[in-house]
Amino acid sequence: TNHVQQSFGDMVSGKSSGDPIVFLSPIDGDMLNEYDGKIAEGTLVTKVKIAASPDRNIRINGVVAKVKDGICQADIALNNYKNEIEAVDSASGEKQTITVFWLKNYINKFRLSIDDNIWFLKDLHVNSGKYKSIFKNSYLHFLRQVHETYGTKIHLNIFYQTDGFNLSQMTDKYKSEWKDNADWLRLSFHALGEFPDRPYLYSGHDEVKKDCEMVKEQIRRFAGEELMGHVTTLHWGTATVEGCRALKEEGYNVLAGYFSKEGPDTVSYYVNDEKRLHVNNRFIWRDNAEGLIFDRIALVLNTVKLEQIKPYLEGLRSDSHKPPYIDLMIHEQYFYDYYKNYQPDFKDKVLTGVKWAVDNGYKPAFLGDCVFG
């Protein structure tokens, strides 16, 4: 797809019939849902908007576009998971094409994702002679309670190592139990360890691939393939394009992050400012050039006070609608009273966020089950 970088003012000013055709909405890689249009006879009918000189005769997927407020627009029916939208200038023959996706199982879903996991695995290792179940560990015991109460799907992004322990030491005696709970538990690669900060900021393909393979190998060994999927959150959410390509090669083609509007750490991988703000608004976008889907985490629970969780979630909007998918996140360390930044209301924060999602009509679902056709 040929992207033309041009200011909005120039795009809609109609300076000449030679102005390029530029898609305003949707854009290439957008992943649409029923909030983006209407469902009619098994299709999603969505409005396509294009910046082009108003004197041009534009057809979008064969439909004549009407000019309104200097923008060409037409209602287009999408039938498939993957859809091409083609805009053609009937006079000059100029064409522009974008690829968008229709997510039929995406809206009103949620999950709980937890980063920086390793200490609970160390505890299982240390107590493997005593614990008869992984749920003798207090952290996993709590997470199972969350699942049993609300049906929550829980995704744990894990390190390879911490002080005095690495995943190669983790017992496989609980493997059948891990598999028995694979309907609501996921394990995925996060980083080699907690430190240094931003470990993959400048890393090339090989370093990311090596660390990822180490973690995945051990997850398969002690828990099983059933616990793995296509989604992860990289530690600090910073990476090069090459690093992200390595993640994709390892099966992680959905990457979650913050995609913050501003700040020193936007947690947005290699995504440029324009697309980062687009993900922030849309909550999801696919880089078609790289085949990677980027997901915005709705709220990091440990970054706000307990009483702020509900108001924050109630104020979230994607375009003019509520977010189609609520991705809640927290970090493992804050669960433990021996951690220097222990949050005694860790459990309350998790339960408050999850309960809000359920009370507002969101159903439990792994992200990976919602973003593929």
Side-chain angles (χ1 to χ4, degrees), residues 106 111 231 254 256 284 295 325 327 365-372:
Y106 183 64
R111 70 165 181 162
V231 180
V254 184
I284 194 165
D295 159 75
Y325 187 100
D327 201 348
F366 286 120
L367 181 60
D369 293 338
C370 299
V371 298
F372 298 111

Side-chain angles (χ1 to χ4, degrees), residues 131-345:
Y131 292 169
K132 294 183 178 180
S133 164
I134 58 174
F135 300 110
K136 291 297 183 182
N137 169 266
S138 60
Y139 176 72
L140 282 182
H141 178 76
F142 167 64
L143 295 182
R144 184 173 66 172
Q145 287 180 318
V146 176
H147 165 70
E148 289 176 345
T149 304
Y150 296 105
T152 315
K153 308 288 187 179
I154 300 177
H155 189 130
L156 306 178
N157 301 298
I158 66 176
F159 292 134
Y160 179 78
Q161 63 192 22
T162 189
D163 291 342
F165 173 73
N166 68 58
L167 293 183
S168 72
Q169 299 169 264
M170 177 62 188
T171 178
D172 63 0
K173 67 177 284 187
Y174 306 113
K175 190 168 187 177
S176 63
E177 189 175 26
W178 283 111
K179 291 184 178 183
D180 288 344
N181 290 277
D183 62 318
W184 66 273
L185 263 182
R186 286 284 184 277
L187 301 175
S188 67
F189 166 70
H190 193 47
L192 182 65
E194 183 174 4
F195 301 107
D197 294 341
R198 306 169 192 84
Y200 304 112
L201 179 60
Y202 303 112
S203 297
H205 170 279
D206 293 350
E207 181 183 355
V208 176
K209 186 176 180 66
K210 173 176 167 288
D211 290 355
C212 186
E213 285 180 336
M214 287 172 62
V215 172
K216 287 182 62 183
E217 178 184 9
Q218 296 304 323
I219 293 173
R220 286 193 184 98
R221 179 188 62 80
F222 73 77
E225 188 74 34
E226 295 87 344
L227 275 292
M228 303 173 73
H230 297 286
V231 180
T232 196
T233 305
L234 197 65
H235 193 32
W236 285 88
T238 54
T240 62
V241 175
E242 291 77 15
C244 289
R245 286 172 181 163
L247 292 175
K248 181 187 173 187
E249 286 178 17
E250 289 300 308
Y252 295 123
N253 48 10
V254 184
L255 304 177
Y258 301 173
F259 300 91
S260 304
K261 288 184 177 179
E262 56 191 14
D265 288 300
T266 58
V267 191
S268 51
Y269 301 89
Y270 63 82
V271 176
N272 66 28
D273 289 347
E274 177 191 4
K275 294 301 191 297
R276 171 172 55 81
L277 295 175
H278 187 67
V279 179
N280 181 278
N281 177 52
R282 293 277 312 164
F283 281 78
I284 194 165
W285 173 75
R286 186 179 191 270
D287 181 349
N288 284 335
E290 296 295 334
L292 288 166
I293 297 170
F294 293 101
D295 159 75
R296 175 190 165 188
I297 293 163
L299 177 60
V300 183
L301 296 164
N302 56 264
T303 64
V304 297
K305 294 180 179 179
L306 177 61
E307 61 270 19
Q308 295 173 327
I309 292 174
K310 286 184 180 179
Y312 183 92
L313 291 171
E314 287 165 1
L316 280 177
R317 289 291 178 270
S318 173
D319 292 326
S320 60
H321 305 282
K322 69 177 185 178
Y325 187 100
I326 290 288
D327 201 348
L328 298 170
M329 202 262 270
I330 198 165
H331 293 76
E332 183 198 7
Q333 303 99 312
Y334 299 97
F335 177 82
Y336 304 99
D337 59 10
Y338 52 82
Y339 179 55
K340 62 181 180 179
N341 294 317
Y342 168 58
Q343 294 190 0
D345 54 1

